[in-house]
Amino acid sequence: MDLIFEKSIEGRRGYSLPESDVPSAKPLAAKYVRPQSPTLPEVGELDVVRHFMALSRRNFSVDGNFYPLGSCTMKYNPRFTEVLAAMSGLADLHPLLPQLASGDRLVQGALAILYEMEQLLCEITGFSAFTLQPLAGAHGELTGAMMIAAYHKAKKNRKKYIIAPDSAHGTNPASAAIAGFQTITIPSTEEGVMDLAALERALTDEVAGIMLTCPDTAGIFNRDIDKIAQMVHKVDGLMYYDGANLNAVLGRCRPGDLGFDVMHINLHKTFSTPHGGGGPGAGPVGVGPKLMPYLPVSRVVRRDDGTFRLNYDYPESIGYVASFYGNFAVIVRAYAYILLLGKEGLKQVSDHAVLNANYVMARLKGVFDLPFDRTCMHECVFSACAQSKNGVHAIDLAKYLIDQGIHPMTVYFPLIVREAMMIEPTETESKQTIDRFIQCMMDAADLAARDPEAFHAFPKTMPISRPDEVKAVKDLNVNFFD
Ligand SMILES: *Cc1c(COP(=O)(O)O)cnc(C)c1O
């Protein structure tokens, strides 16, 4: 596809403005003036529309196709939330509009949304307070780890380590390390959950806390959470819940009731903001009583007369973790989504997410190896070990799906499963779509048995078939076509 610069025709314009009848201001100082005009593409409006339309069609998206990318919750985002986030009373607010003076009324609505969102998240998760500032899941983890550090510092605890299971999302140990901790990795058992005996051995007085996901990254609910919480609390460690994907437990169980002290939620996964490609997200962090004093500032508080203001007066706070109040538009979308669904609707989210994943698991069991053969939560993990004996690996099956118009599942993650294929159908897909995916997977297994060589050619329908993935990471030259 041509670059827009290559479509340029000298003198072509996409707009025309009337001749200005306003006298020019004083000319800019010479040091600010470019020596030459910039080389911009000279194109008509229709050229621009067609160019960007064509680009957008190259982008694989949930709006176009099924996207069962495990651990990422690529679900459909209702347009309703987009309409609300784009309302000019919200989208056009300037973050420096006065909050405390007479200008209060200019931002009262926005502050009310932040305040109510915090209340809703507390209700959904069982925590005492939330900060909405963190800009992504990993940023929420870092915020949580910093609060854990502040807690131990205030108590003069000498703590060095944060524990994470070997199935953890890679951001967990990374966030703990950035907050100044060393990490200890606990292996998983055959059943895919944390090995309690190994945890027992690792739990010394120097352990600051543990980062867990439940259901964990293999999509399995850990039945020992309360036992783990007791063990960790005994050494005055704190329990961190990675709630990036809350659609497995929404409305059914609350991390705050399970013994956790702090958690983050990815609004851009669970609460329906489009994500991927590094787009804006939000990773609000909830805390129980132990960590309340350390929450970032500012915090929205409600005055006796029902109006809202921002309060910065928390001497033990870890301070700012983001400019202004986080990704406000993401928070608005999540707020709208929660109010749209209501209590019963949120329960249906987790019912459908879990039902759909178990349906996929039940129907593909026997076609692919199933390392953890028990009820899964919102995602299920298969292994391509049997097919790999024939030379067809998880990556080959993933490439096969691309030609079927389906985004590949997550492969080679979690790391504890060989030839892992992690499938998250999400709650928003119909039985027909999921059935078509299952049929594709069955066809792929069939082809792997009959004609393994065929897989070398997939994908056939893409401009690039198989880029060298290691080179693609190290050498960021996106010009594939020269
Ligand atoms: C996505 C995810 C994260 C990281 O969230 P980001 O918003 O990408 O930083 C952390 N933990 C789990 C389990 C996740 O799925």
Side-chain angles (χ1 to χ4, degrees):
M1 200 178 128
D2 286 347
L3 299 175
I4 194 154
F5 289 93
E6 292 165 304
K7 295 191 173 124
S8 183
I9 306 264
E10 207 181 321
R12 187 161 289 173
R13 290 288 175 270
Y15 68 93
S16 55
L17 290 179
E19 193 84 1
S20 171
D21 56 2
V22 181
S24 339
K26 227 165 72 181
L28 279 179
K31 65 177 172 180
Y32 298 124
V33 179
R34 290 169 178 272
Q36 282 152 330
S37 349
T39 20
L40 295 174
E42 299 180 75
V43 282
E45 181 175 324
L46 182 55
D47 300 325
V48 175
V49 169
R50 287 200 176 135
H51 180 74
F52 285 102
M53 194 53 148
L55 278 182
S56 75
R57 287 204 195 114
R58 298 201 147 205
N59 211 355
F60 196 99
S61 69
V62 178
D63 290 348
N65 299 74
F66 185 45
Y67 207 136
L69 188 67
S71 188
C72 293
T73 311
M74 303 304 286
K75 69 184 191 187
Y76 172 70
N77 307 290
R79 289 298 179 270
F80 165 76
T81 63
E82 294 297 326
V83 173
L84 290 200
M87 282 168 67
S88 74
L90 299 171
D92 297 340
L93 279 183
H94 193 283
L96 286 178
L97 280 170
Q99 293 112 34
L100 301 172
S102 57
D104 247 355
R105 65 185 196 288
L106 294 176
V107 292
Q108 279 300 307
L111 293 180
I113 289 175
L114 295 173
Y115 183 86
E116 283 173 26
M117 183 64 174
E118 191 182 322
Q119 306 298 307
L120 288 169
L121 292 179
C122 286
E123 184 62 34
I124 288 169
T125 60
F127 281 101
S128 323
F130 262 83
T131 172
L132 305 178
Q133 281 183 36
L135 305 171
H139 193 201
E141 292 169 26
L142 176 62
T143 304
M146 286 163 66
M147 283 194 268
I148 291 176
Y151 167 85
H152 290 304
K153 193 169 168 210
K155 290 187 79 179
K156 300 205 166 40
N157 286 343
R158 292 165 61 90
K159 300 285 191 180
K160 245 164 107 174
Y161 302 105
I162 286 218
I163 293 178
D166 60 359
S167 60
H169 197 273
T171 49
N172 291 184
S175 303
I178 295 175
F181 294 105
Q182 292 173 45
T183 52
I184 300 176
T185 306
I186 305 292
S188 301
T189 63
E190 295 272 287
E191 272 105 55
V193 295
M194 184 186 260
D195 184 337
L196 280 190
L199 174 64
E200 184 87 65
R201 286 193 294 278
L203 267 179
T204 65
D205 285 341
E206 289 190 308
V207 169
I210 185 167
M211 295 177 87
L212 274 181
T213 299
C214 192
D216 66 20
T217 311
I220 290 169
F221 195 88
N222 190 328
R223 300 188 185 106
D224 292 324
I225 284 297
D226 47 352
K227 223 180 282 170
I228 294 174
Q230 267 178 21
M231 290 162 71
V232 173
H233 285 148
K234 219 159 129 193
V235 299
D236 201 10
L238 295 176
M239 295 279 290
Y240 186 98
Y241 185 96
D242 180 337
N245 317 89
L246 220 56
N247 54 342
V249 295
L250 219 48
R252 294 283 160 195
C253 95
R254 310 195 307 167
D257 299 337
L258 296 177
F260 285 92
D261 302 294
V262 47
M263 78 175 295
H264 81 267
I265 303 174
N266 281 16
L267 296 186
H268 49 294
K269 287 178 182 167
T270 308
F271 295 111
S272 177
T273 278
H275 61 282
V285 173
V287 294
K290 287 181 192 167
L291 292 183
M292 285 272 278
Y294 312 107
L295 278 170
V297 287
S298 59
R299 292 174 56 189
V300 184
V301 292
R302 194 184 171 143
R303 297 194 190 95
D304 289 341
D305 66 359
T307 60
F308 302 95
R309 71 183 179 93
L310 291 167
N311 189 357
Y312 296 81
D313 187 18
Y314 299 95
E316 291 183 276
S317 162
I318 60 166
Y320 286 95
V321 296
S323 55
F324 301 112
Y325 322 109
N327 277 330
F328 183 63
V330 176
I331 297 165
V332 171
R333 285 189 188 90
Y335 175 75
Y337 179 76
I338 292 171
L339 292 186
L340 174 70
L341 291 180
K343 190 172 167 195
E344 290 309 313
L346 290 180
K347 268 189 200 161
Q348 281 179 12
V349 164
S350 50
D351 285 356
H352 287 252
V354 173
L355 181 64
N356 287 352
N358 278 284
Y359 178 65
V360 171
M361 188 174 83
R363 289 206 51 204
L364 288 180
K365 190 169 150 176
V367 180
F368 298 97
D369 287 344
L370 184 64
F372 313 119
D373 188 1
R374 54 178 270 200
T375 310
C376 66
M377 297 299 288
H378 61 304
E379 53 198 359
C380 59
V381 181
F382 285 97
S383 160
C385 270
Q387 288 72 22
S388 73
K389 291 194 192 101
N390 238 357
V392 177
H393 298 272
I395 187 84
D396 302 312
L397 295 161
K399 302 288 186 195
Y400 174 90
L401 285 181
I402 294 175
D403 281 348
Q404 307 300 316
I406 293 175
H407 194 285
M409 58 284 182
T410 296
V411 289
Y412 302 110
F413 184 80
L415 303 174
I416 53 175
V417 173
R418 277 186 52 220
E419 295 286 340
M421 299 187 291
M422 189 186 203
I423 299 163
E424 181 180 5
T426 82
E427 63 274 19
T428 56
E429 297 294 339
S430 68
K431 179 167 181 296
Q432 288 69 28
T433 302
I434 298 175
D435 279 340
R436 178 164 178 265
F437 165 74
I438 290 169
Q439 190 56 52
C440 286
M441 290 296 280
M442 288 176 169
D443 293 347
D446 191 45
L447 187 64
R450 276 189 295 111
D451 183 9
E453 292 296 314
F455 282 83
H456 295 315
F458 302 140
K460 292 178 175 171
T461 56
M462 293 288 125
I464 309 156
S465 182
R466 294 235 185 174
D468 177 336
E469 291 182 9
V470 178
K471 188 168 184 288
V473 170
K474 304 224 152 148
D475 176 12
L476 294 177
N477 175 7
V478 292
N479 189 5
F480 291 107
F481 301 103
D482 56 12

